[in-house]
Amino acid sequence: MMLNYSYPLYRPPSEADSLIFQVTLGCSFNECSFCDMYRSKEYSERPWDEVKAEIDVMSKTLPETRRIFLADGDALNLQTDYMKNIVKYLYEKFPNLERISCYAMPMNVLKKTPEELKTLRDAGLNMFYLGIESGSDVILKKVTKGATAATIIRACKKAKDAGYILSCMIILGLGGKTHSKEHIKGTAGVINASAPHYVGALTLYLENGIKEEFKTKFGEPFIPVSDAESLDELEDLIRQIDVRNEVIFRANHGSNAYTVKGTFPQDKQMMLDKISWMKQHPEVVRPTGLRGF
Ligand code: SF4
């Protein structure tokens, strides 16, 4: 028996093999202008009897489970005690469990005290996926992210200090042509200041349902970057990332025109060399029909 999910259901690409439990539905913020993931849902928290019943069923169906992802958009919004009970129960029921992760907004992390984050970490919540999107305050405001570069950096540091593995997303093209340079400069700045364990670069892809809202909220004409300009952004970003600790970088998401991956600091030149090569071979671009957010 599989779970009766409330769709749409999302998880990061790297959680493709994880068992997913929906402990919240929707996103408690739901206002980022580029994101239509949970527009059809009102945020709610699922009661313990429902969550427990699903865990009980799945622990019999998939007892070998090693990785679990807690959905939907910001499971970390749950009260700490409730989240702790869920996490502890999962380890009780899945003896081979190694990792529990969830999406987290900067505000979710900042709302918890360091002790609360530590409590959840000690219980076995290991990893957060946190959307940086852009490190430019101008763009963060235009896309109504509800965060600034400073709050994002604080949240990342707080999560890392509490012992979490941090995987962050940034969105190429989010500032359009007009704010491209600023977008990359700010984003590299946030990555350098927070040095997440993983950084994934996606490319802006506006679903039809939110295009108009995105453009209106942007507050000035939005001129999308071309594939070639997106590659320039990727190159500038990689050039400006300067970290001492290892940062695993992936620009291989299905939304991207071009694919690059490597680990900072050691692979920086290799990634730049690959981009130079791709600029000579623009035909390696991912066909637009095969792209999605
Ligand atoms: S990007 Fe994240 S925080 Fe923003 S609306 Fe989408 S799910 Fe919510």
Side-chain angles (χ1 to χ4, degrees):
M1 180 191 157
M2 290 311 284
L3 291 177
N4 211 355
Y5 289 120
S6 158
Y7 291 98
L9 178 70
Y10 295 95
R11 45 104 189 118
S14 49
E15 298 288 337
D17 298 326
S18 303
L19 176 58
I20 303 176
F21 289 102
Q22 284 177 303
V23 296
T24 60
L25 299 179
C27 164
S28 70
F29 183 61
N30 219 9
E31 283 185 29
C32 303
S33 66
F34 54 87
C35 168
D36 81 332
M37 296 203 298
Y38 304 109
R39 291 300 169 97
S40 59
K41 290 181 175 177
E42 197 173 323
Y43 175 77
S44 66
E45 300 181 349
R46 300 202 48 227
W48 173 239
D49 56 340
E50 285 180 22
V51 173
K52 179 178 181 298
E54 291 187 352
I55 296 172
D56 289 342
V57 168
M58 294 315 289
S59 67
K60 294 195 184 89
T61 317
L62 294 170
E64 304 299 321
T65 298
R66 290 178 188 277
R67 290 185 171 190
I68 286 177
F69 179 75
L70 299 177
D72 277 340
D74 61 332
L76 193 63
N77 196 49
L78 288 179
Q79 292 292 318
T80 302
D81 282 349
Y82 185 27
M83 186 68 147
K84 186 175 106 184
N85 287 347
I86 295 172
V87 169
K88 285 185 109 165
Y89 194 62
L90 286 169
Y91 279 96
E92 252 174 75
K93 300 300 275 188
F94 294 95
N96 298 317
L97 190 56
E98 290 164 1
R99 184 171 104 180
I100 302 180
S101 57
C102 65
Y103 285 128
M105 278 189 268
M107 210 33 80
N108 300 142
V109 177
L110 293 178
K111 268 187 345 203
K112 301 251 185 255
T113 64
E115 293 72 33
E116 286 179 309
L117 288 174
K118 185 81 180 27
T119 299
L120 293 175
R121 180 65 197 85
D122 289 346
L125 181 64
N126 319 67
M127 179 168 182
F128 295 144
Y129 292 90
L130 184 145
I132 292 175
E133 335 297 6
S134 175
S136 151
D137 282 343
V138 173
I139 296 165
L140 287 166
K141 198 165 175 203
K142 283 178 174 297
V143 302
T144 55
K145 177 69 195 168
T148 62
T151 55
I152 295 170
I153 293 169
R154 258 201 292 136
C156 289
K157 284 189 175 162
K158 198 170 170 183
K160 278 177 59 185
D161 286 349
Y164 290 88
I165 298 170
L166 195 58
S167 180
C168 292
M169 288 75 78
I170 68 105
I171 305 178
L172 297 170
L174 192 61
K177 236 186 214 319
T178 319
H179 297 282
S180 179
K181 290 272 174 250
E182 180 180 351
H183 173 43
I184 296 307
K185 185 166 179 261
T187 304
V190 168
I191 293 171
N192 292 342
S194 49
H197 303 90
Y198 297 88
V199 172
L202 285 62
T203 302
L204 182 67
Y205 180 88
L206 293 172
E207 299 288 348
N208 282 334
I210 51 163
K211 254 184 201 152
E212 283 317 307
E213 180 190 327
F214 177 88
K215 287 180 183 166
T216 308
K217 284 183 168 173
F218 204 76
E220 63 182 281
F222 180 78
I223 310 161
V225 298
S226 64
D227 286 349
E229 287 160 344
S230 176
L231 192 56
D232 288 340
E233 284 199 350
L234 192 54
E235 183 178 35
D236 284 349
L237 180 68
I238 291 173
R239 212 182 283 287
Q240 290 178 49
I241 292 178
D242 183 13
V243 284
R244 263 183 295 149
N245 294 346
E246 283 200 344
V247 173
I248 297 173
F249 182 83
R250 294 190 186 115
N252 59 353
H253 187 261
S255 61
N256 293 350
Y258 294 94
T259 289
V260 178
K261 56 182 179 176
T263 302
F264 287 99
Q266 60 267 34
D267 295 338
K268 179 168 172 168
Q269 194 52 50
M270 176 275 284
M271 289 190 271
L272 290 171
D273 290 346
K274 180 162 184 206
I275 290 176
S276 298
W277 181 87
M278 286 191 293
K279 286 188 164 179
Q280 309 301 318
H281 297 85
E283 69 280 4
V284 296
V285 68
R286 190 191 309 262
T288 39
L290 296 182
R291 293 184 215 166
F293 214 28

